[in-house]
Amino acid sequence: MATKKKWEYSPAPESKQPAAIASRYELFINGKWVKPTSSNYFSSINPATEEKLSEIATASEADVNKAVQASRQAYEKYWKKMAPAERAKYIFRIARIMQERARELAVTETLDGGKPIRESRDFDIPTAANHFFYYAGWADKLDFAFPNKKANSLGVAGQITPWNFPLLLAAWKIAPALATGNTVVLKPAETTSLTTLKLAAIIQEADLPPGVVNVITGAGQTGAWLTQHKDIDKIAFTGSTEVGRIIQRTLAGSHKKLTLELGGKGANIIFEDAPIDQAVEGVINGIFFNQGHVCCAGSRLYVQESIAKKFVQKLKDRISTLLVGDPMDKNTDVGAINSAQQLKTIQAYIKIGKAEGADFFESDCTLPQKGFFCRPSLFTNVAQSNRIAQEEIFGPVLCILTFRTDDEVIEKANNSPYGLSAGIWTDKGSRIFNISKQIRAGVIWANTYNLFDPTSPFGGYKESGFGREGGLQGLQPYVQFVKP
Amino acid sequence: MAKQSRLEVWKTYKNYVGGQFPRTESGRSYAVKNAMGKTIANVCQSSRKDVRDGVSAARSAWSAWNNRSGFNRGQILYRIAEMLEGRKKQLSDLLVTQGYTAAAATQEINRSTDRLIYYAGWCDKYQSLFSAVNPVASAHYNFSVPESMGVVGMLAPANASLLGVVSLMAPCIAGGNTCLILADQEKPLAAVSFAEVLHSADVPGGVVNILTGYQQELIDWISSHVDVNAMVCFDQEKADWQKIQEIGAGHIKRTFQWNAKQLATAAGQSPYFIMDLQEIKTTWHPIQTIGGKGGAY
Amino acid sequence: MTFKKPVFNAQILNHPPVEQTGVEERTVRFTKRSIKGPSKMQGLLMVLSMIDLTTLEGKDTPGKVNQLCTKAVHLHDQVPGLPTVAAICVYPSMVSIAKKALKGSSIKVASVATAFPSGQTSLRIKLADTRLAVEDGADEVDMVISRGKFLAGEYAYVFDEIASVKEVCGTARLKVILETGELGTLDQVRKASSIAIAAGADFIKTSTGKIQPAATLPVTLVMLETIRDHYHKTGKKVGMKPAGGISKSKLALHYLVMVKETLGDVWLDKHWFRFGASSLANDVLMQVAKETMGNYQSPAYFSID
């Protein structure tokens, strides 16, 4: 062979054009797009380029009241009375339109949130649509879901979603609420409102009765007004444990039912008899999926000492092959950090980890000049007492600890206020059953990691929250039992 | 002087913690009175340190209790019922002393015994009923099962001295949890004596812990205890409920309010009370797809 | 280069287990890589240069082999600057024909041997078969392992057989065909790869092309990972050759993605990676022509030999 040129992937950017983002978005209340009473708008930017994408209405308390009122009216007037099978058909319609507009939604999600287009295209959007499809089917089968009980709807559900999986979590919230006969007022995270607003447009296109779903945009204060509202029967929140506490306190003594899906510090445990190469992939997927902005990320890696050196080397090799950069490039593995603020938080933790004496390794990839980016990295020589091993970093930073025995790793894995997820990698079936039973976490991935499915309940133990989303168990947070 | 009757031996009522009957560490007590206002006993006025000890006993007992088979927990609950049946007379007398009519006392004890048997039967069944195999769309086996929450703080209701305690405790421990129960402040004697039943019924020490005292003094300490995973109270005191939830929010405590009016009815028992105190755990594992028709690798 | 025949050491059988679903998830990721523009052209040319153009049929004749050799040298002269394929792969009886036809080119002649494809004969005959091919000028020998012995747990036998063949090969490079479609699981593929590498294979190869399934992305990934682990342990490189079932250029590019991301760019060379294929070349050529001329092509314009 003559001149040998290294084979690099040429840029393969997805077109922005299908996103069709409007220059301004209003509030979606009672089936209509209405201007905020405050006349205030905030900018939504593309975290990969720092360019402004659109401006979005800030809902005031009066707007929140209007939305709740519309939702209450829709509940009493239409949704509560509607035959469940008809309710189901509306939800199926939403799922179908989401599938039809998948490309638009995927491109918008990536532009707005910074996640790789491969992830929004292959995971976020299809899973969101599937969630509607799954719960649609439940609407007229609730009598089978709870033995010896009749399940009634609650009324108006106030829902608050985070910025890491904007559309997917809107689906996780709206789909079961509607299927069980509740109406909804939803507030998306302010940095990533666009796909939720597009979902509102889809709901409008699906011709749902006005007010059944309302979307109000704004920052934390808007959410606070929603949780404090007297005429809300249910709050579902996904976000930080810190805000979860405030919401739980706000709701204390009220009749409002509450679901919290909060933080995590997932233990991913690698035994010496693990399928090593698949475990490496599982660890990579566990911490670098969505730039590590995942509440169930496998951010605490426990490797059995006998294989630690070899395993860490394999991880480092693999990290070096990750393609970091433009989220719109179809080959990008790790995209942009969601916001300047989050990038600052991650960088602060990296500094803390170094100060704590842990050994730091990061990919040698070059980062784009503009936008919020962070190299995938890991810490070795980490102790349970280090802050980086205890606190949720919510970024592409892995902490690696070692262990010697099963008992030791069970104890260490449970040694956390959180309890959302865990991974176990071993070839021994009986060990999987034992460890998965002993670990106090809501989702256990054995010989795999970070998988989600509409049929599979998701939610935490301890300070990772309560209530489940997904599956049969995901219905219960939205119903009250009455005598059969 | 008439012929002297034999002097009665009075009973000292103590807390039940970790399978033992300690006095409150505070050395305090308060008088329990009958309907006529006459003191019938001095019981422990437990302190925050008794709460601490009770939670710690419950936590120590939890893992082994949780790991027992459902069948075994059922055997023990059934044994409690047997022992309670045997102590009918003692407990009935106590309830009467505290203002129950004889008929009401008998009914309360019978209901309590029957409720224990009801839950004894659930110990190895609710798991099947509330578990699921979830048909995920990838090559994975995925199932969800209920698991105990851990340590549960429980406030006994007024006016159901025994049945209230049993209705709290039974679904809680049937599901593999351990508990710390604050007995009814006014009528705690049946609850404390019920501890003796538990003690003689092979219930491992620490699985159930019962304190007497002033609920208002102790609610804060239980609700704020970080190692208490869940709290259950009845819907009698709105203020208490609010306080429990507010304080519990500090570490995302699960809180439940059960209906006191239903206690003596069929609706006072249900597997859904067991399920209130369960977490759902979902486990994934890959399925190899080599072999079989259409299989290839 | 002298080959010192190694001794079987049961330790090579200790390999980490392989989780099939995880392997498949990983290979799906390779197929999601979008190879466009210059990287596509570069990749396609690389594929062409890595092909072992193959004819392995009972009805093979000198005529057929001569035609195939012509194709190997003149892939598609309408597009200037194309590479040639890496090698021609034939039965031992055709080696001298191919050798003559390819004289003056840099194209290697590979010969299957060892009672291809079943391998069901004695070691003596297998060695004679190999010797014949090498004496006739084969640059490369593609042997098959004794799958029956392997599945019966006679790993030392399989190992010794490979080592003995390697000894007879002399300077010819030895490709060891595992026939993964008969091994049953990916764990077995991993084990067979380890044995072949330890016994002295220069290349490990998936399939004879006579058994289904032949090469697949998951099987190839497991073999590449075995090569990688061996390299990290010993510093010695081993080549990889998926064979059978790769007939489309898009799939071939995904194989290259897999090689690049598993072993690195060093392996993206015909010295370390080959495709065993007969119809792949024309599909790649059609893609190259499309990239060059801009319009989609018809098979009628691409010679079949």
Side-chain angles (χ1 to χ4, degrees):
Chain A
M1 196 176 264
T3 50
K4 183 108 191 281
K5 203 173 109 219
K6 201 175 168 200
W7 192 42
E8 304 285 4
Y9 307 142
S10 308
E14 174 66 78
S15 159
K16 288 179 192 172
Q17 184 266 332
I21 296 170
S23 58
R24 173 180 273 198
Y25 284 92
E26 311 293 354
L27 306 167
F28 185 68
I29 296 175
N30 208 21
K32 287 193 268 305
W33 297 96
V34 298
K35 293 195 182 311
T37 53
S38 65
S39 307
N40 288 337
Y41 293 82
F42 60 94
S43 296
S44 191
I45 65 158
N46 177 347
T49 60
E50 301 175 52
E51 288 161 0
K52 182 173 164 182
L53 289 170
S54 182
E55 55 182 31
I56 296 167
T58 304
S60 66
E61 191 171 10
D63 296 321
V64 174
N65 290 342
K66 237 194 307 185
V68 174
Q69 196 187 3
S71 198
R72 170 63 57 192
Q73 276 170 2
Y75 177 69
E76 301 293 345
K77 204 166 151 193
Y78 309 111
W79 209 240
K80 190 166 89 170
K81 294 182 193 158
M82 189 178 292
E86 297 300 298
R87 228 162 52 209
K89 278 150 65 183
Y90 275 116
I91 306 168
F92 278 125
R93 260 194 203 172
I94 298 172
R96 275 296 194 239
I97 302 175
M98 285 174 82
Q99 288 172 333
E100 286 161 8
R101 290 170 64 172
R103 179 113 178 244
E104 171 192 351
L105 291 168
V107 173
T108 306
E109 198 72 302
T110 285
L111 289 172
D112 199 22
K115 65 175 65 202
I117 185 71
R118 184 188 52 77
E119 287 181 14
S120 32
R121 180 195 66 201
D122 295 347
F123 175 68
D124 289 65
I125 308 309
T127 315
N130 293 354
H131 224 81
F132 277 100
F133 204 88
Y134 173 76
Y135 276 110
W138 268 121
D140 57 354
K141 299 167 191 72
L142 297 175
D143 287 346
F144 299 91
F146 306 102
N148 206 35
K149 292 280 181 195
K150 178 158 170 43
N152 275 9
S153 56
L154 298 169
V156 178
Q159 307 181 321
I160 300 173
T161 52
W163 46 259
N164 56 345
F165 295 96
L167 185 70
L168 178 59
L169 294 193
W172 279 28
K173 300 253 177 303
I174 297 174
L178 294 185
T180 47
N182 300 280
T183 56
V184 167
V185 180
L186 186 142
K187 188 203 88 71
E190 70 270 26
T191 60
T192 53
S193 311
L194 291 179
T195 47
T196 309
L197 289 160
K198 282 182 178 287
L199 176 60
I202 287 170
I203 285 167
Q204 196 178 27
E205 187 183 331
D207 207 21
L208 264 76
V212 169
V213 176
N214 305 273
V215 174
I216 51 170
T217 41
Q221 181 59 58
T222 304
W225 285 318
L226 184 61
T227 59
Q228 289 156 10
H229 200 289
K230 295 272 182 292
D231 202 27
I232 292 261
D233 302 293
K234 158 85 193 177
I235 292 288
F237 170 78
T238 298
S240 70
T241 295
E242 192 190 338
V243 176
R245 279 189 241 282
I246 296 170
I247 293 175
Q248 192 176 358
R249 208 166 284 140
T250 305
L251 264 57
S254 75
H255 71 292
K256 294 173 197 167
K257 219 169 161 169
L258 176 64
T259 311
L260 296 175
E261 207 274 87
L262 309 175
K265 189 79 184 175
N268 204 355
I269 303 168
I270 318 292
F271 286 97
E272 63 180 2
D273 67 341
I276 298 293
D277 290 310
Q278 291 75 59
V280 167
E281 287 310 311
V283 172
I284 294 288
N285 186 37
I287 185 65
F288 301 121
F289 177 53
N290 200 28
Q291 296 72 247
H293 303 328
V294 186
C295 45
C296 53
S299 48
R300 273 189 300 157
L301 180 68
Y302 290 96
V303 187
Q304 199 153 23
E305 271 187 25
S306 51
I307 55 159
K309 207 175 146 205
K310 199 170 91 184
F311 194 82
V312 170
Q313 188 54 51
K314 276 179 176 264
L315 276 178
K316 288 178 177 176
D317 291 348
R318 180 69 176 91
I319 284 175
S320 304
T321 68
L322 289 171
L323 303 177
V324 185
D326 180 10
M328 289 290 278
D329 193 305
K330 291 171 202 158
N331 289 326
T332 292
D333 296 316
V334 179
I337 301 301
N338 188 262
S339 64
Q341 194 195 341
Q342 186 57 29
L343 182 58
K344 220 179 277 173
T345 304
I346 297 166
Q347 285 163 343
Y349 271 113
I350 291 176
K351 213 176 264 176
I352 289 169
K354 288 176 178 168
E356 283 176 325
D359 298 325
F360 183 68
F361 169 88
E362 63 180 346
S363 161
D364 59 0
C365 60
T366 42
L367 299 181
Q369 292 294 313
K370 280 201 111 179
F372 317 131
F373 289 92
C374 179
R375 290 190 183 87
S377 64
L378 58 80
F379 278 108
T380 48
N381 195 18
V382 179
Q384 201 79 2
S385 312
N386 291 143
R387 275 183 68 190
I388 51 167
Q390 295 170 355
E391 298 171 21
E392 187 175 37
I393 298 173
F394 224 62
V397 185
L398 177 68
C399 295
I400 306 180
L401 300 95
T402 57
F403 72 95
R404 294 153 300 170
T405 65
D406 293 32
D407 279 343
E408 179 188 3
V409 79
I410 291 167
E411 206 177 356
K412 281 181 167 172
N414 283 334
N415 181 213
S416 165
Y418 295 116
L420 188 52
S421 60
I424 305 165
W425 298 81
T426 171
D427 204 34
K428 201 169 164 71
S430 55
R431 177 188 264 157
I432 289 173
F433 282 110
N434 176 42
I435 310 257
S436 64
K437 185 177 178 196
Q438 307 300 334
I439 286 184
R440 308 293 289 160
V443 184
I444 308 283
W445 285 293
N447 291 324
T448 185
Y449 208 91
N450 261 351
L451 292 172
F452 308 87
D453 193 279
T455 67
S456 174
F458 184 91
Y461 285 31
K462 304 196 278 187
E463 290 201 15
S464 290
F466 46 72
R468 292 293 176 267
E469 294 184 301
L472 166 62
Q473 281 80 4
L475 293 167
Q476 197 177 340
Y478 288 97
V479 299
Q480 53 188 331
F481 294 142
V482 291
K483 280 183 187 153
Chain B
M1 201 181 234
K3 188 178 126 200
Q4 193 157 359
S5 59
R6 178 182 169 273
L7 190 66
E8 205 180 337
V9 178
W10 288 350
K11 177 170 171 179
T12 309
Y13 292 91
K14 296 195 286 187
N15 285 338
Y16 182 52
V17 174
Q20 294 182 315
F21 293 91
R23 285 202 180 84
T24 165
E25 68 74 44
S26 67
R28 301 175 306 177
S29 66
Y30 70 98
V32 173
K33 299 184 172 161
N34 69 8
M36 270 75 76
K38 181 176 175 289
T39 297
I40 48 176
N42 291 312
V43 298
C44 294
Q45 187 196 332
S46 301
S47 68
R48 64 184 167 89
K49 292 192 179 171
D50 297 312
V51 168
R52 175 199 65 191
D53 294 346
V55 171
S56 151
R59 176 57 64 193
S60 305
W62 170 73
S63 179
W65 181 247
N66 182 50
N67 282 327
R68 288 205 182 202
S69 66
F71 171 75
N72 183 259
R73 293 202 300 267
Q75 293 264 307
I76 290 173
L77 271 136
Y78 190 83
R79 182 71 180 157
I80 302 172
E82 286 178 343
M83 300 314 283
L84 182 55
E85 189 88 11
R87 295 223 192 187
K88 221 169 175 172
K89 175 80 175 64
Q90 178 201 347
L91 282 149
S92 167
D93 288 350
L94 273 177
L95 289 173
V96 170
T97 319
Q98 294 215 262
Y100 280 67
T101 63
T106 306
Q107 199 178 36
E108 170 120 352
I109 293 161
N110 287 346
R111 278 201 182 112
S112 300
T113 311
D114 291 351
R115 188 144 296 170
L116 285 162
I117 288 171
Y118 173 82
Y119 283 112
W122 269 120
C123 288
D124 52 6
K125 294 173 191 67
Y126 70 91
Q127 300 90 334
S128 309
L129 202 58
F130 295 97
S131 289
V133 171
N134 308 304
V136 295
S138 53
H140 294 87
Y141 189 73
N142 175 300
F143 58 97
S144 299
V145 293
E147 275 189 357
S148 69
M149 278 180 177
V151 175
V152 184
M154 312 189 107
L155 304 186
N159 302 321
S161 267
L162 183 63
L163 186 59
V165 170
V166 167
S167 302
L168 285 169
M169 178 209 79
C172 173
I173 68 170
N177 300 283
T178 57
C179 58
L180 174 64
I181 302 174
L182 278 193
D184 174 33
Q185 189 170 315
E186 304 296 326
K187 299 175 180 172
L189 298 188
V192 180
S193 297
F194 180 62
E196 294 158 20
V197 173
L198 295 172
H199 196 61
S200 60
D202 307 327
V203 180
V207 170
V208 182
N209 304 277
I210 301 174
L211 302 182
T212 56
Y214 296 161
Q215 290 202 348
Q216 285 312 313
E217 180 189 348
L218 300 175
I219 284 178
D220 287 22
W221 293 109
I222 302 192
S223 307
S224 68
H225 198 306
V226 179
D227 213 20
V228 172
N229 300 92
M231 287 287 291
V232 182
C233 68
F234 282 89
D235 52 354
Q236 292 158 323
E237 290 292 333
K238 192 174 181 319
D240 290 348
W241 171 233
Q242 180 161 355
K243 188 151 77 166
I244 289 167
Q245 288 197 302
E246 255 168 24
I247 298 172
H251 47 279
I252 319 293
K253 206 186 287 297
R254 287 90 171 112
T255 53
F256 302 91
Q257 198 182 28
W258 291 349
N259 184 333
K261 278 196 208 80
Q262 290 179 344
L263 259 181
T265 70
Q269 58 187 26
S270 155
Y272 289 92
F273 291 124
I274 301 177
M275 289 308 295
D276 272 352
L277 301 174
Q278 299 288 303
E279 301 282 0
I280 295 293
K281 174 179 281 178
T282 300
T283 306
W284 296 68
H285 197 281
I287 302 173
Q288 177 176 282
T289 54
I290 295 169
K293 201 171 185 318
Y297 66 96
Chain C
M1 192 175 76
T2 53
F3 175 72
K4 188 168 171 291
K5 196 175 154 189
V7 181
F8 177 72
N9 177 348
Q11 247 187 335
I12 60 169
L13 303 176
N14 298 335
H15 60 86
V18 182
E19 187 63 59
Q20 182 217 359
T21 305
V23 173
E24 285 177 355
E25 283 167 0
R26 180 72 184 119
T27 55
V28 166
R29 283 292 294 275
F30 297 128
T31 68
K32 301 282 177 167
R33 290 288 186 219
S34 178
I35 308 300
K36 302 279 180 222
S39 66
K40 183 172 181 183
M41 193 59 165
Q42 193 187 345
L44 290 171
L45 296 181
M46 217 159 26
V47 172
L48 284 179
S49 76
M50 291 168 168
I51 290 175
D52 280 5
L53 204 57
T54 302
T55 184
L56 292 169
E57 288 177 5
K59 62 178 191 279
D60 282 349
T61 55
K64 162 74 186 175
V65 170
N66 275 322
Q67 288 169 23
L68 197 68
C69 290
T70 310
K71 172 75 177 179
V73 180
H74 304 278
L75 276 175
H76 190 65
D77 291 345
Q78 293 87 327
V79 177
L82 291 181
T84 64
V85 297
I88 285 288
C89 183
V90 292
Y91 270 113
S93 56
M94 298 293 158
V95 168
S96 55
I97 313 282
K99 201 66 198 167
K100 209 165 124 199
L102 291 171
K103 204 166 176 193
S105 81
S106 62
I107 299 169
K108 309 277 190 215
V109 174
S111 170
V112 297
T114 70
F116 180 95
S118 75
Q120 291 285 19
T121 187
S122 67
L123 177 60
R124 220 146 51 96
I125 290 177
K126 288 183 184 182
L127 293 180
D129 197 17
T130 308
R131 213 169 276 129
L132 174 75
V134 173
E135 279 167 8
D136 278 1
D139 306 293
E140 300 170 359
V141 171
D142 290 26
M143 74 169 283
V144 291
I145 66 164
S146 296
R147 283 88 75 190
K149 298 282 188 191
F150 178 83
L151 293 171
E154 294 179 40
Y155 305 124
Y157 181 94
V158 176
F159 178 97
D160 286 335
E161 198 173 61
I162 298 167
S164 304
V165 173
K166 169 71 183 166
E167 211 170 24
V168 169
C169 281
T171 53
R173 294 179 85 205
L174 176 64
K175 307 196 194 99
V176 178
I177 302 171
L178 310 181
E179 195 65 301
T180 54
E182 289 186 341
L183 298 186
T185 64
L186 293 177
D187 281 296
Q188 296 281 58
V189 171
R190 172 97 201 193
K191 192 185 291 171
S193 303
S194 296
I195 292 171
I197 289 170
D202 296 300
F203 267 83
I204 49 176
K205 175 175 168 184
T206 60
S207 323
T208 60
K210 307 293 180 195
I211 294 284
Q212 287 302 322
T216 64
L217 286 165
V219 155
T220 307
L221 178 59
V222 169
M223 293 168 73
L224 291 173
E225 285 169 346
T226 315
I227 292 171
R228 180 180 60 188
D229 288 351
H230 178 74
Y231 176 69
H232 283 314
K233 208 165 141 190
T234 65
K236 287 187 192 131
K237 291 205 270 291
V238 172
M240 173 70 210
K241 178 178 172 185
I246 307 167
S247 55
K248 295 291 174 201
S249 49
K250 190 170 181 184
L251 180 57
L253 287 175
H254 288 144
Y255 271 90
L256 294 190
V257 166
M258 181 161 68
V259 173
K260 175 183 167 66
E261 296 192 21
T262 308
L263 292 171
D265 283 87
V266 178
W267 261 266
L268 289 181
D269 187 307
K270 63 181 172 184
H271 196 68
W272 299 117
F273 190 77
R274 296 283 176 84
F275 290 102
S278 45
S279 61
L280 174 63
N282 269 4
D283 192 70
V284 176
L285 290 168
M286 276 171 46
Q287 287 296 319
V288 170
K290 190 257 160 190
E291 291 293 301
T292 320
M293 321 252 228
N295 54 342
Y296 292 105
Q297 302 294 309
S298 159
Y301 294 73
F302 293 82
S303 61
I304 301 168
D305 271 308

